[in-house]
Amino acid sequence: MATVKLGENEFQTSGNLPNVGDKAPDFKLTTVDLDTKSLSDYKGSRVILNIFPSIDTSVCATSVRTFDKEVAELDNTKLLCISHDLPFAHSRFCKEEGLENLEALSDFRDGSFGKTYGLDLLNGPMQKLHSRVVIVLDEEGTVIHTEQVPNIADQPKYSKVLEILGNA
């Protein structure tokens, strides 16, 4: 279990992120077309899991825009932007912003992704939403980087992700 903050308020997460070197747990998430995707759909590509509370907050929106721009420069890399937001909210945001280098995925159906990855918020006003996390996987689905952003209002360390993928 991790502790994260929003401002000075502390919140607990539902567990711990997967460890670097572990195989990432499988998942089933919903696309903007209401199809289902699982981790095996991305085998053979490097994957950035950009996980956040809601696309309708400025910090989350900035992370999606920033990673979308940066991923365009990376070879063989898929960007998955994941929250509990409905697929319709993800679709609206991506269309309005003209984002083309990502796949928006929702954990709204059963919420098992957040539980499995240990990143659901357990208390406070954002209870049951995801904390802000970045997980990077290699082509075989092995975790090569994790970041539990300590304060939900802060951006992830984009440069660290890009450094890792530049050297991977």
Side-chain angles (χ1 to χ4, degrees), residues 122-139:
L122 295 179
N123 59 316
M126 296 196 320
Q127 181 177 354
K128 296 189 179 180
L129 294 179
H130 298 324
S131 56
R132 184 173 316 288
V133 170
V134 176
I135 300 172
V136 181
L137 311 176
D138 70 9
E139 293 87 346

Side-chain angles (χ1 to χ4, degrees), residues 136-149:
V136 181
L137 311 176
D138 70 9
E139 293 87 346
E140 298 302 315
T142 300
V143 177
I144 58 174
H145 171 75
T146 64
E147 179 189 5
Q148 172 78 68
V149 179

Side-chain angles (χ1 to χ4, degrees), residues 5 8 28 45 57 63 65 81 93 100 110 113 130-131 136 140 147 166:
K5 288 184 171 187
E8 294 304 313
K28 290 193 183 323
S45 295
T57 67
S63 76
R65 283 186 210 104
C81 292
F93 179 81
E100 301 175 344
D110 69 4
F113 174 82
H130 298 324
S131 56
V136 181
E140 298 302 315
E147 179 189 5

Side-chain angles (χ1 to χ4, degrees), residues 12-150:
Q12 304 302 311
T13 65
S14 57
N16 295 307
L17 300 179
N19 293 312
V20 170
D22 289 351
K23 287 289 186 186
D26 198 13
F27 57 75
K28 290 193 183 323
L29 295 166
T30 305
T31 69
V32 296
D33 297 325
L34 302 179
D35 290 330
T36 300
K37 290 283 190 158
S38 65
L39 183 57
S40 62
D41 292 318
Y42 305 98
K43 187 171 181 168
S45 295
R46 302 179 307 174
V47 177
I48 301 169
L49 304 175
N50 179 34
I51 307 154
F52 49 87
S54 176
I55 194 66
D56 287 319
T57 67
S58 62
V59 177
C60 299
T62 297
S63 76
V64 171
R65 283 186 210 104
T66 302
F67 272 127
D68 181 75
K69 178 182 174 192
E70 297 296 344
V71 165
E73 305 298 319
L74 299 173
D75 292 330
N76 194 35
T77 304
K78 303 290 185 192
L79 171 61
L80 310 184
C81 292
I82 303 167
S83 72
H84 276 290
D85 290 305
L86 292 175
F88 316 112
H90 279 290
S91 179
R92 171 193 45 81
F93 179 81
C94 291
K95 284 179 186 170
E96 287 174 357
E97 297 289 329
L99 304 178
E100 301 175 344
N101 302 306
L102 65 88
E103 187 161 358
L105 297 170
S106 176
D107 192 19
F108 87 102
R109 285 200 170 132
D110 69 4
S112 63
F113 174 82
K115 292 175 187 138
T116 301
Y117 279 73
L119 51 84
D120 279 345
L121 296 169
L122 295 179
N123 59 316
M126 296 196 320
Q127 181 177 354
K128 296 189 179 180
L129 294 179
H130 298 324
S131 56
R132 184 173 316 288
V133 170
V134 176
I135 300 172
V136 181
L137 311 176
D138 70 9
E139 293 87 346
E140 298 302 315
T142 300
V143 177
I144 58 174
H145 171 75
T146 64
E147 179 189 5
Q148 172 78 68
V149 179

